[in-house]
Short mmCIF file of all heavy atoms in Angstrom, two decimals:
data_model
loop_
_atom_site.label_atom_id
_atom_site.label_comp_id
_atom_site.label_asym_id
_atom_site.label_seq_id
_atom_site.Cartn_x
_atom_site.Cartn_y
_atom_site.Cartn_z
N PRO A 1306 6.80 13.34 -74.34
CA PRO A 1306 7.24 12.42 -75.30
C PRO A 1306 6.65 12.60 -76.73
O PRO A 1306 7.40 12.31 -77.72
CB PRO A 1306 6.88 11.09 -74.71
CG PRO A 1306 6.71 11.38 -73.27
CD PRO A 1306 6.21 12.72 -73.20
N LEU A 1307 5.52 13.10 -76.78
CA LEU A 1307 4.86 13.33 -78.08
C LEU A 1307 5.60 14.54 -78.79
O LEU A 1307 5.72 14.54 -80.03
CB LEU A 1307 3.39 13.61 -77.95
CG LEU A 1307 2.51 12.44 -77.48
CD1 LEU A 1307 1.08 12.84 -77.35
CD2 LEU A 1307 2.58 11.28 -78.37
N PHE A 1308 6.02 15.53 -78.02
CA PHE A 1308 6.81 16.54 -78.58
C PHE A 1308 8.11 15.98 -79.14
O PHE A 1308 8.57 16.45 -80.23
CB PHE A 1308 7.19 17.60 -77.48
CG PHE A 1308 6.09 18.61 -77.21
CD1 PHE A 1308 6.17 19.46 -76.11
CD2 PHE A 1308 4.93 18.60 -78.01
CE1 PHE A 1308 5.23 20.43 -75.78
CE2 PHE A 1308 3.92 19.60 -77.62
CZ PHE A 1308 4.14 20.41 -76.59
N GLY A 1309 8.73 14.97 -78.50
CA GLY A 1309 9.89 14.34 -78.97
C GLY A 1309 9.70 13.73 -80.31
O GLY A 1309 10.48 13.70 -81.20
N LYS A 1310 8.48 13.03 -80.46
CA LYS A 1310 8.14 12.41 -81.74
C LYS A 1310 7.96 13.50 -82.82
O LYS A 1310 8.35 13.34 -83.97
CB LYS A 1310 6.94 11.60 -81.52
CG LYS A 1310 6.52 10.82 -82.79
CD LYS A 1310 5.30 9.99 -82.60
CE LYS A 1310 4.85 9.22 -83.86
NZ LYS A 1310 3.72 8.40 -83.66
N LEU A 1311 7.13 14.54 -82.45
CA LEU A 1311 6.74 15.58 -83.34
C LEU A 1311 7.95 16.38 -83.99
O LEU A 1311 8.06 16.59 -85.13
CB LEU A 1311 5.70 16.55 -82.72
CG LEU A 1311 5.20 17.69 -83.60
CD1 LEU A 1311 4.48 17.15 -84.86
CD2 LEU A 1311 4.35 18.61 -82.78
N PHE A 1312 8.72 16.83 -83.01
CA PHE A 1312 9.84 17.73 -83.36
C PHE A 1312 11.13 17.13 -83.66
O PHE A 1312 11.97 17.65 -84.38
CB PHE A 1312 10.17 18.78 -82.28
CG PHE A 1312 8.89 19.80 -82.01
CD1 PHE A 1312 8.16 19.73 -80.91
CD2 PHE A 1312 8.61 20.68 -82.99
CE1 PHE A 1312 7.07 20.59 -80.70
CE2 PHE A 1312 7.53 21.53 -82.95
CZ PHE A 1312 6.74 21.52 -81.70
N ALA A 1313 11.38 15.90 -83.07
CA ALA A 1313 12.68 15.29 -83.27
C ALA A 1313 12.55 13.89 -83.89
O ALA A 1313 13.58 13.22 -84.21
CB ALA A 1313 13.39 15.22 -82.00
N GLY A 1314 11.28 13.41 -84.09
CA GLY A 1314 11.17 12.07 -84.69
C GLY A 1314 11.54 10.96 -83.69
O GLY A 1314 11.95 9.85 -84.18
N ARG A 1315 11.53 11.26 -82.44
CA ARG A 1315 11.99 10.29 -81.38
C ARG A 1315 11.03 10.11 -80.31
O ARG A 1315 11.06 10.92 -79.31
CB ARG A 1315 13.37 10.75 -80.76
CG ARG A 1315 14.47 11.14 -81.85
CD ARG A 1315 15.03 9.85 -82.47
NE ARG A 1315 16.16 10.25 -83.44
CZ ARG A 1315 16.76 9.28 -84.16
NH1 ARG A 1315 16.44 7.99 -84.04
NH2 ARG A 1315 17.61 9.66 -85.03
N LEU A 1316 10.17 9.12 -80.42
CA LEU A 1316 9.17 8.92 -79.27
C LEU A 1316 9.75 8.14 -78.16
O LEU A 1316 9.76 8.57 -76.99
CB LEU A 1316 7.96 8.21 -79.79
CG LEU A 1316 6.81 7.79 -78.83
CD1 LEU A 1316 6.35 9.08 -78.11
CD2 LEU A 1316 5.80 7.10 -79.47
N LYS A 1317 10.34 6.94 -78.46
CA LYS A 1317 10.82 6.12 -77.37
C LYS A 1317 11.95 6.82 -76.57
O LYS A 1317 12.16 6.54 -75.43
CB LYS A 1317 11.16 4.80 -77.81
CG LYS A 1317 12.34 4.71 -78.78
CD LYS A 1317 12.71 3.23 -79.23
CE LYS A 1317 13.98 3.18 -80.09
NZ LYS A 1317 14.26 1.86 -80.40
#
Side-chain angles (χ1 to χ4, degrees):
L1307 295 178
F1308 281 171
K1310 181 179 181 180
L1311 177 63
F1312 293 112
R1315 306 286 181 183
L1316 175 61
K1317 67 177 182 178

